[in-house]
Amino acid sequence: MGRNKRIGFVPTMGDLHAGHLSLIRRSKKENDSTVVSIFVNPLQFNQKKDYQSYHRDTRADLSALRKEGVDMVFLPSDQELYPDRFQTTVNVEGLTQGLCGAFRPGHFRGVATVVLKLFQIVQPARAYFGQKDYQQLKVIEKMVHDLNLPIEIVACPTVREKDGLALSSRNRRLSISEHKRASSIYATLRSVALFAQSHPASAVTSLRQLFYEGLDLSKGDRVEYFEVVHPDTLTTLKKIQTPFLLAAAVWIGKTRLIDNLLVNRNSK
Ligand code: AMP
């Protein structure tokens, strides 16, 4: 690629859906060329079984990327990225302590490490991340800032199904009735946000209760966490004050889903 060409980069774990494609389209608009990587990163899975059962369909992914007119696809092997005796990792400290970080030890260390390696290889001017994985986005922004990487991180809005469920590669594991229950996550986040906006200074415990009550869960489903945090620091708020982020992880049967909703000072 030419020296002064600006590369836009979209790192993924494959099993591409319209959420990924929205990042790719944005990158295509804003850069001279777009690189997409597909790598199911073993370092970020805290359960071996989850890693092994992660859905992979490279052929379908490549055909989708061809249709989008992506300039280059990077498909590294495990051995290429983690040769024997690999010893160096990147740990973003404070931001990874709460939310998903509290339940998935080592997850964000795996994410930051692989993303830094991919950045070094691809050398992008911009990289695109989804707000669906809000904590991940913040961790990458922090790493880029703290390590002086000359890369602009572009945050992209969450793409959803008509019923509000955030698109995720994990959604394919849901049965029809599980999908229906899963769609109550975003619907409930929205109603909790509306309540919070019309009741400033309400206690987070009452929002948590509203969240639990609003969800349409069955036996075997459970809330892993529901938190109200400051959108920049991800520290827990005790009383509602804009801006705030509602963030949740919910198990629908054997599938773990995450979602969030950001309320800014002037959000309607
Ligand atoms: P993944 O393949 O799950 O690692 O995701 C790759 C990128 O796509 C990450 O930056 C995700 O945040 C983003 N992404 C995943 N799902 C969505 C979605 N529903 N809307 C927007 N971006 C998404």
Side-chain angles (χ1 to χ4, degrees):
M1 270 175 223
R3 250 199 195 179
N4 300 316
K5 296 250 180 207
R6 292 178 71 84
I7 298 174
F9 177 43
V10 184
T12 81
M13 298 206 298
D15 200 10
L16 302 178
H17 51 65
H20 297 113
L21 301 187
S22 72
L23 272 52
I24 292 168
R25 287 176 193 162
R26 175 111 183 242
S27 170
K28 284 206 57 165
K29 251 193 230 147
E30 297 177 352
N31 301 282
D32 299 309
S33 54
T34 289
V35 177
V36 174
S37 65
I38 299 177
F39 180 63
V40 183
N41 176 30
L43 218 58
Q44 75 186 68
F45 284 80
N46 44 338
Q47 283 176 341
K48 206 168 176 198
K49 227 171 134 200
D50 190 25
Y51 169 68
Q52 284 162 342
S53 63
Y54 198 86
H55 191 263
R56 296 156 167 92
D57 189 346
T58 309
R59 193 180 289 197
D61 288 344
L62 290 178
S63 134
L65 294 176
R66 202 167 291 127
K67 257 195 221 140
E68 293 297 319
V70 161
D71 299 278
M72 195 181 284
V73 183
F74 181 41
L75 284 163
S77 67
D78 290 4
Q79 190 56 28
E80 238 172 312
L81 286 195
Y82 302 118
D84 296 343
R85 298 195 295 280
F86 182 83
Q87 297 185 354
T88 309
T89 60
V90 183
N91 192 29
V92 176
E93 290 183 4
L95 282 176
T96 60
Q97 273 165 18
L99 306 177
C100 292
F103 294 90
R104 304 186 68 187
H107 168 67
F108 288 113
R109 182 196 293 263
V111 170
T113 303
V114 81
V115 169
L116 179 59
K117 285 173 69 74
L118 292 169
F119 282 175
Q120 295 294 85
I121 296 165
V122 175
Q123 299 273 311
R126 297 195 184 91
Y128 295 77
F129 290 85
Q131 277 168 337
K132 145 109 186 354
D133 301 285
Y134 191 91
Q135 190 174 18
Q136 168 174 283
L137 166 69
K138 289 291 138 183
V139 165
I140 300 301
E141 283 176 352
K142 190 82 183 127
M143 174 184 79
V144 163
H145 182 260
D146 288 354
L147 299 183
N148 310 89
L149 306 181
I151 300 173
E152 183 189 337
I153 300 301
V154 183
C156 302
T158 303
V159 178
R160 300 178 178 282
E161 305 262 16
K162 272 208 187 78
D163 63 11
L165 178 64
L167 293 189
S168 160
S169 305
R170 293 176 194 271
N171 293 356
R172 65 162 67 245
R173 302 181 188 171
L174 301 171
S175 68
I176 292 173
S177 66
E178 285 178 333
H179 187 123
K180 198 161 163 283
R181 296 192 321 263
S183 70
S184 74
I185 300 170
Y186 185 59
T188 311
L189 285 176
R190 284 185 58 149
S191 51
V192 172
L194 279 176
F195 178 88
Q197 283 172 286
S198 53
H199 298 78
S202 47
V204 165
T205 45
S206 40
L207 299 193
R208 183 168 292 121
Q209 192 180 340
L210 273 181
F211 183 70
Y212 275 75
E213 287 169 1
L215 289 176
D216 167 26
L217 299 189
S218 277
K219 222 174 131 209
D221 301 339
R222 70 184 168 86
V223 177
E224 185 174 271
Y225 69 76
F226 167 84
E227 298 290 347
V228 186
V229 297
H230 190 281
D232 298 329
T233 59
L234 305 187
T235 48
T236 320
L237 302 179
K238 290 209 175 68
K239 280 202 182 327
I240 295 306
Q241 204 182 356
T242 51
F244 63 86
L245 180 88
L246 305 179
V250 180
W251 286 86
I252 301 290
K254 291 193 160 46
T255 308
R256 180 181 182 274
L257 300 171
I258 56 170
D259 206 347
N260 65 77
L261 200 160
L262 175 62
V263 179
N264 281 312
R265 227 155 257 148
N266 41 13
S267 299
K268 288 254 164 63

